[in-house]
Amino acid sequence: MQEEFYAAAEKILSDLYNLFSKDPKLKSFEILPVVQIENKSPIHVEEHCLALESWCVPHIYCYAYKNLMNHRQIKGKLRDAEKCNTLLMGALLLNPDITTFWNMRKELIRSGKLDPYFDLHFTSVILTFKPKCADLYAFRKWILKYLVQSSRNNENLFENEIQICEAAADRYSNNYHAWTHRIWCLTQSLPNSLQREWAASMKWVQRHVSDYSGFHYRQKLITFLLSYIDSRSYDQEVIKLILFSVDEATEGFLHNFKTYELTAQTIPLTLKIFVYELSLNSDLIWNFVGHEALWCHRRFIFHEIKRLLLDSNCPKYWGRLDTSNPADGTPPEKTPKIGKHSVGSEFSLILSIYEDMFLAKCSDEREPRQMFYANKHKQWLAKFSKFRLPLNEDRDNPVFRGSYK
Amino acid sequence: MVKLYALHILYKNLNSAVWLKTAYDVQSFGYFQRGTAQDTMAFASKTIVERTQSATRQSVKEGDYICHVYVRADNLAGVVISNHEYPHRVAHTLITKVLDEFSAKYPPSTWASANEANIDFPALAAHLQKFQNPKEADALMKIQSELDETKIILHNTIGAVLERGEKLDDLIMKSESLSYQSKAFYKTARKTNSCCSYVG
């Protein structure tokens, strides 16, 4: 039964190969479920979109697989590079999870028989069919490294790659492999990519509110941004737009706390980045009710703020009680001079009031999911980060409790 | 992704529902699947409207999709098909708004005899695009506060909406509105979620 189709399979494979070499604009691939076999070509192409009818898939794949395994036994010059390439394309298009076949393509590229740019295109088409293929990303990474090493014109190489990752992440939610690959691309073009990716990832999380891989990427990005700001070669020009947007967000954040002496100028840049992130996160939680990924990202923000504040010594709101100032709920005394120490404590106070107000707003009985996450977050703040909200503090205060008796 | 796929207006007769106007966004589907996706969504909206009582709101989950339905007391019905990330409240607000606009343009007397091809209502497609960003709803806070009082019935599967003895698979195979190709798609789509199903 299988053998009858083999002659046809060879024809279909070479048609596929020709399609890819003739049309560099080919953009997607899919399999059409067709049960009845008609006597015509199973390949469809419309507006640069490619499809293959499902009935022929097992035949083509088995043919390509068997022949490739035989082909691997042939050594040296006897190998026919073009035939090998055609078979590999058919096999990988249908099942890109075979590392051996990708390695055979690497051999072809290394021996100069295959253009690496052709494969960048070929694999980008496969990604529309299987957006979550780990071997495929590993192969693309190898090509990119190969191109960088051979120092050809590689401007925009990583920028294009990031576009491709974004398209793949769009097709498959929580696409870990695509985002991991994107993190790698980001590290290849630091620090110039920071500003572009800051804006792009913000846009992304606003449209994909429960995609935790997307949030993880943003967390990585922020970490890179912080270490860039810490570095010696730090240049404000490179991240000008980020600086502008975090300043704006901080002023908006402080708007409700005008009685305090803090201004956007006195808060350190690193904290302002998290104020921006917190405002964005509050907005998303408010508009998209009940998504755990958003609340997890909020934990990340508080975790980082805590780390930054502990560095600048502000123990009061973060659980390290200092004995000179008992926890009686009174706000810390304001010092006329805004030094490093008082900025930290005043910021903590404002933050705790802000968070308490926000959580109260989220405790709407009509939205049980939201209330559940808000309570979890409150517990987490109290238990794990030891961050104390001022109102809780009042309730825990023995004097305050006594008045109810 | 926060996404709207379809926005429909239907009229519910005694035994069946008729589409008055439909709009789709099927860009996120594979090129060759778009026609089938439209067919299937049209079928789903009709089926669910026929099984929703007058003056009720329902939201029905099915796989990755959720179908929001509102049948007004005068039997004009609106349907939004979206994914789970799209805020439910906004979806229902959008239906209310669209139905209000539609009945302002076409009076109730015309609904029973109307046919989709003769109805000119470009606002539907425009709303579908505009509301892809749910923040657009901020302008509609007034309707939204009225909406809070109406109860939205949430069903976790389409099976909960069907009548006793009805099965989705049977309904699809019997349907006249679905093409042969769409039925084939539906049948195979159930089996092809596993990774190497075609190979082997």
Side-chain angles (χ1 to χ4, degrees):
Chain A
M1 168 78 184
Q2 288 279 1
E3 277 69 26
E4 291 172 28
F5 284 99
Y6 278 0
E10 201 167 333
K11 169 84 173 65
I12 294 168
L13 279 171
S14 70
D15 282 353
L16 282 175
Y17 172 74
N18 286 332
L19 267 171
F20 273 98
S21 23
K22 278 181 194 148
D23 188 356
K25 281 187 191 157
L26 213 60
K27 57 185 178 191
S28 73
F29 171 67
E30 57 196 291
I31 292 178
L32 290 179
V34 174
V35 194
Q36 278 177 326
I37 306 173
E38 285 173 48
N39 197 13
K40 57 182 183 187
S41 169
I43 301 177
H44 300 256
V45 185
E46 271 175 52
E47 294 187 26
H48 306 292
C49 298
L50 170 67
L52 200 59
E53 290 180 6
S54 60
W55 61 266
C56 70
V57 171
H59 307 299
I60 295 178
Y61 183 72
C62 291
Y63 174 80
Y65 185 90
K66 264 187 200 159
N67 276 281
L68 279 168
M69 284 307 168
N70 291 337
H71 195 83
R72 278 181 69 77
Q73 307 305 319
I74 306 169
K75 293 271 177 277
K77 287 176 183 169
L78 289 169
R79 279 195 181 186
D80 178 351
E82 194 175 320
K83 191 182 174 209
C84 180
N85 184 11
T86 313
L87 290 170
L88 278 172
M89 280 179 67
L92 288 167
L93 189 65
L94 298 172
N95 182 11
D97 292 307
I98 300 188
T99 318
T100 310
F101 290 167
W102 288 119
N103 287 339
M104 286 170 79
R105 281 194 95 74
K106 286 183 198 169
E107 281 166 20
L108 285 175
I109 291 177
R110 225 186 272 127
S111 61
K113 284 170 184 145
L114 183 62
D115 179 9
Y117 286 101
F118 177 83
D119 258 25
L120 278 183
H121 172 238
F122 170 58
T123 47
S124 75
V125 174
I126 302 182
L127 275 180
T128 61
F129 172 55
K130 292 260 168 87
K132 205 186 173 182
C133 178
D135 280 317
L136 199 154
Y137 289 109
F139 179 64
R140 285 187 76 92
K141 192 169 165 179
W142 182 86
I143 297 184
L144 290 172
K145 279 183 180 165
Y146 179 83
L147 287 174
V148 171
Q149 263 176 16
S150 58
S151 71
R152 293 204 224 169
N153 176 25
N154 49 35
E155 247 178 81
N156 299 334
L157 206 56
F158 292 106
E159 212 175 318
N160 287 340
E161 196 63 11
I162 281 176
Q163 289 302 319
I164 283 170
C165 291
E166 184 147 333
D170 221 356
R171 284 175 181 271
Y172 196 114
S173 56
N174 303 320
N175 192 341
Y176 173 82
H177 299 296
W179 288 103
T180 311
H181 188 57
R182 186 162 171 174
I183 291 172
W184 178 77
C185 296
L186 174 66
T187 57
Q188 299 305 301
S189 42
L190 286 173
N192 296 322
S193 53
L194 281 173
Q195 196 158 277
R196 192 186 64 233
E197 286 303 286
W198 171 264
S201 68
M202 188 187 81
K203 242 184 169 170
W204 171 272
V205 297
Q206 282 177 328
R207 297 281 286 135
H208 303 77
V209 287
S210 60
D211 193 316
Y212 46 78
S213 293
F215 281 104
H216 175 241
Y217 179 74
R218 188 151 174 92
Q219 290 164 12
K220 278 278 175 196
L221 178 76
I222 291 174
T223 320
F224 291 138
L225 180 63
L226 292 183
S227 63
Y228 177 65
I229 291 170
D230 274 346
S231 72
R232 272 192 206 160
S233 54
Y234 165 50
D235 177 6
Q236 290 212 344
E237 268 307 300
V238 177
I239 52 167
K240 202 167 71 185
L241 289 176
I242 302 182
L243 296 177
F244 179 73
S245 61
V246 299
D247 267 343
E248 210 177 43
T250 311
E251 271 160 28
F253 177 79
L254 292 173
H255 185 73
N256 295 326
F257 301 98
K258 277 186 177 154
T259 44
Y260 296 87
E261 286 176 33
L262 274 189
T263 59
Q265 281 75 43
T266 50
I267 298 180
L269 173 61
T270 44
L271 270 182
K272 281 195 272 195
I273 289 172
F274 288 103
V275 168
Y276 177 90
E277 203 57 17
L278 187 66
S279 310
L280 173 70
N281 184 260
S282 302
D283 187 47
L284 288 179
I285 288 180
W286 188 237
N287 278 300
F288 299 92
V289 167
H291 289 285
E292 192 171 19
L294 293 172
W295 290 95
C296 292
H297 189 60
R298 202 171 181 86
R299 284 192 188 184
F300 163 80
I301 296 169
F302 273 86
H303 181 268
E304 289 297 294
I305 292 180
K306 177 182 177 180
R307 192 177 57 78
L308 290 172
L309 286 179
L310 281 181
D311 283 352
S312 66
N313 263 324
C314 172
K316 185 171 182 292
Y317 283 87
W318 301 96
R320 270 198 224 156
L321 290 176
D322 77 357
T323 41
S324 62
N325 193 0
D328 58 1
T330 52
E333 282 176 57
K334 280 183 219 157
T335 39
K337 236 168 69 184
I338 301 233
K340 205 182 174 188
H341 180 87
S342 60
V343 169
S345 58
E346 195 158 290
F347 182 78
S348 303
L349 179 68
I350 289 180
L351 187 66
S352 63
I353 297 171
Y354 173 87
E355 192 61 3
D356 202 59
M357 274 164 30
F358 179 76
L359 290 176
K361 216 169 105 177
C362 287
S363 300
D364 181 343
E365 280 179 2
R366 280 179 315 216
E367 301 289 358
R369 290 303 288 170
Q370 185 88 321
M371 237 167 103
F372 172 78
Y373 289 128
N375 277 331
K376 280 263 173 230
H377 186 69
K378 204 181 241 173
Q379 283 169 12
W380 179 81
L381 281 177
K383 238 187 216 163
F384 298 100
S385 78
K386 308 263 193 281
F387 181 77
R388 282 175 297 130
L389 301 170
L391 297 183
N392 290 345
E393 214 166 88
D394 285 346
R395 278 178 221 125
D396 294 342
N397 187 336
V399 183
F400 189 78
R401 247 189 269 142
S403 63
Y404 278 113
K405 279 180 186 167
Chain B
M1 188 176 22
V2 181
K3 185 88 193 155
L4 291 176
Y5 298 104
L7 179 56
H8 292 177
I9 298 175
L10 296 93
Y11 177 66
K12 195 185 167 205
N13 286 316
L14 274 179
N15 325 318
S16 71
V18 183
W19 298 281
L20 295 182
K21 197 73 195 168
T22 54
Y24 297 95
D25 185 337
V26 287
Q27 286 300 311
S28 55
F29 293 93
Y31 180 84
F32 293 91
Q33 287 177 41
R34 287 175 193 165
T36 316
Q38 281 199 14
D39 273 6
T40 316
M41 287 194 280
F43 173 76
S45 76
K46 180 175 147 81
T47 309
I48 294 175
V49 166
E50 284 168 359
R51 285 155 188 80
T52 306
Q53 290 185 340
S54 295
T56 359
R57 286 181 188 277
Q58 297 199 103
S59 293
V60 184
K61 288 182 191 169
E62 182 62 30
D64 292 335
Y65 307 99
I66 186 159
C67 185
H68 305 279
V69 184
Y70 175 38
V71 181
R72 298 203 315 198
D74 57 8
N75 282 335
L76 189 67
V79 175
V80 161
I81 298 178
S82 72
N83 63 1
H84 295 300
E85 291 177 20
Y86 199 89
H88 299 185
R89 211 165 282 280
V90 179
H92 278 282
T93 311
L94 172 61
I95 295 178
T96 311
K97 181 186 161 69
V98 162
L99 292 185
D100 285 348
E101 284 179 20
F102 184 81
S103 47
K105 193 170 175 189
Y106 289 93
S109 55
T110 59
W111 299 342
S113 58
N115 131 0
E116 200 186 335
N118 302 332
I119 289 177
D120 176 44
F121 191 58
L124 197 68
H127 280 318
L128 182 67
Q129 284 317 312
K130 192 174 162 206
F131 274 77
Q132 291 293 351
N133 179 5
K135 282 193 178 175
E136 288 296 334
D138 286 352
L140 298 171
M141 281 312 280
K142 196 183 152 288
I143 308 181
Q144 212 166 343
S145 56
E146 285 167 19
L147 184 69
D148 292 342
E149 293 152 25
T150 330
K151 209 168 174 204
I152 303 169
I153 309 166
L154 183 70
H155 296 288
N156 281 323
T157 63
I158 201 165
V161 189
L162 301 180
E163 279 146 32
R164 266 179 100 171
E166 278 187 327
K167 271 192 191 151
L168 185 64
D169 294 24
D170 297 345
L171 285 178
I172 286 184
M173 290 312 148
K174 273 193 286 182
S175 157
E176 286 165 11
S177 65
L178 286 175
S179 64
Y180 171 75
Q181 201 194 5
S182 301
K183 288 177 187 173
F185 242 107
Y186 177 81
K187 253 197 249 171
T188 39
R190 299 212 134 191
K191 298 176 205 151
T192 51
N193 285 330
S194 59
C195 135
C196 295
S197 48
Y198 283 113
V199 174

